């Protein structure tokens, strides 16, 4: 059965998820997280991506990325994998694949779901019970987006910049977004559309994506989310 094509368009942000094989860990020590972020920064610059939000969990990663070219995201993820997987295998004496198949991704409409996707990503450690507040988790972009901490990996999206006239005001207003929990509809949509690779947004947005790609983008599989989707 052929693989379903993924829909990346230059200038349109995408939510990208990559999971460890069989939900096994992909990070074991701080140095592993640090290397991954370093490789991600190299790949971002080499292949033309902007990273707006991220979180590195112990067994999976989330990124919010705007590609400058159609193949930018795929090349970025391939670069990271080519360097990170051999490092983990050598260091920990393991063999075989590290990832659970291809990474999952969905293009996100900025006006409807972009800031929800920011929050969804950075709230992962809270939903997992690892911390009580996203600012307590070291390996995410919340420090930059919500606390004004230095993080050269992160580039603010124009939608984020609209939160205020200064960096201080934007961070303050961004933090305020976290006073409201994500709705079940937002959680379900972000999980389901990312898992299926379907552009997430209004019907008009999906039509624009389909027209730009000259192909049907389809619809996500209906029904209750699977266990793997719930863990995204």
């Amino acid at each position: 059965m052929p693989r379903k094509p993924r829909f990346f368009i230059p200038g349109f942000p995408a939510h990208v998820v990559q999971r460890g094989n069989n939900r096994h860990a992909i990070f074991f020590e701080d140095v592993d997280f640090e290397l991954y972020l370093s490789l991600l920064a190299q790949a971002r610059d080499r292949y033309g991506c902007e990273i707006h939000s991220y979180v590195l969990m112990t067994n999976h990663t989330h990124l919010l990325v705007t590609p400058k070219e159609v193949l930018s995201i795929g090349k970025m993820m391939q670069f990271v994998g080519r360097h990170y997987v051999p490092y983990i295998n050598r260091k920990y004496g393991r063999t075989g694949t590290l990832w659970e198949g291809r990474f999952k991704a969905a293009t996100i409409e900025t006006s409807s779901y972009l800031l929800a996707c920011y929050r969804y990503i950075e709230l992962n450690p809270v939903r997992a019970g690892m911390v009580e507040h996203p600012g307590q988790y070291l390996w995410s972009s919340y420090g930059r987006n919500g606390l004004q901490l230095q993080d050269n990996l992160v580039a603010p999206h124009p939608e984020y910049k609209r939160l205020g006239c200064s960096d201080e005001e934007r961070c303050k207003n961004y933090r305020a977004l976290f006073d409201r929990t994500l709705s079940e509809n937002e959680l379900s949509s972000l999980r389901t559309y990312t898992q299926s690779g379907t552009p997430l947004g209004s019907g008009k947005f999906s039509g624009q994506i389909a027209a730009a790609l000259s192909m049907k983008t389809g619809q996500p599989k209906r029904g209750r989310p699977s266990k793997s989707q719930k863990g995204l």
Side-chain angles (χ1 to χ4, degrees):
M1 183 176 179
R3 288 178 172 180
K4 181 179 179 179
R6 286 179 289 202
F7 311 109
F8 299 131
I9 298 179
F12 284 75
H15 177 212
V16 179
V17 181
Q18 189 156 43
R19 187 174 297 284
N21 192 34
N22 293 322
R23 294 177 174 263
H24 291 166
I26 56 176
F27 303 106
F28 303 89
E29 301 179 85
D30 285 358
V31 66
D32 302 337
F33 290 94
E34 292 166 355
L35 177 65
Y36 187 95
L37 292 176
S38 175
L39 291 171
L40 195 58
Q42 294 176 51
R44 172 205 61 190
D45 294 341
R46 179 174 295 195
Y47 298 111
C49 290
E50 288 190 337
I51 298 172
H52 312 299
S53 180
Y54 70 86
V55 68
L56 309 185
M57 304 293 283
T58 54
N59 65 358
H60 67 285
T61 64
H62 288 261
L63 307 172
L64 182 59
V65 186
T66 296
K68 294 182 179 178
E69 298 178 4
V70 172
L71 299 179
S72 292
I73 291 177
K75 289 181 177 180
M76 180 181 75
M77 300 304 289
Q78 289 171 5
F79 177 92
V80 173
R82 282 199 307 269
H83 292 81
Y84 187 73
V85 175
Y87 157 81
I88 290 293
N89 285 349
R90 286 194 305 269
K91 182 175 180 181
Y92 299 105
R94 66 179 305 281
T95 59
T97 182
L98 184 65
W99 310 125
E100 186 179 78
R102 298 195 305 167
F103 64 86
K104 309 293 185 181
T107 300
I108 305 292
E109 184 175 16
T110 57
S111 60
S112 300
Y113 277 96
L114 188 78
L115 289 176
C117 190
Y118 266 86
R119 291 158 57 214
Y120 176 81
I121 289 172
E122 294 172 359
L123 282 168
N124 256 260
V126 178
R127 287 194 299 274
M130 301 170 73
V131 294
E132 294 183 356
H133 187 274
Q136 297 171 323
Y137 192 72
L138 182 60
W139 309 109
S140 90
S141 53
Y142 184 85
R144 172 62 188 89
N145 292 324
L147 302 174
Q148 286 185 269
L149 301 180
Q150 183 72 22
D151 189 338
N152 294 328
L153 187 62
V154 177
H157 188 275
E159 197 75 15
Y160 173 89
K161 290 182 178 179
R162 292 190 185 99
L163 291 172
C165 297
S166 67
D167 199 30
E168 182 177 1
E169 184 180 9
R170 286 188 286 268
C171 286
K172 178 182 178 181
N173 290 333
Y174 184 75
R175 290 194 301 271
L177 296 177
F178 287 74
D179 293 340
R180 182 182 69 83
T181 59
L182 289 165
S183 69
E184 285 301 318
N185 179 63
E186 289 171 319
L187 288 170
S188 177
S189 295
L190 284 160
R191 289 166 176 160
T192 303
Y193 280 73
T194 301
Q195 180 73 14
S196 67
T198 307
L200 174 56
S202 64
K204 180 180 179 181
F205 173 72
S206 296
Q208 290 173 336
I209 297 296
L213 295 168
S214 299
M215 65 171 68
K216 292 183 178 179
T217 58
Q219 294 293 326
K221 184 178 179 181
R222 298 300 178 183
R224 297 177 65 184
S226 66
K227 289 183 179 179
S228 63
Q229 286 174 273
K230 290 181 181 179
L232 285 174

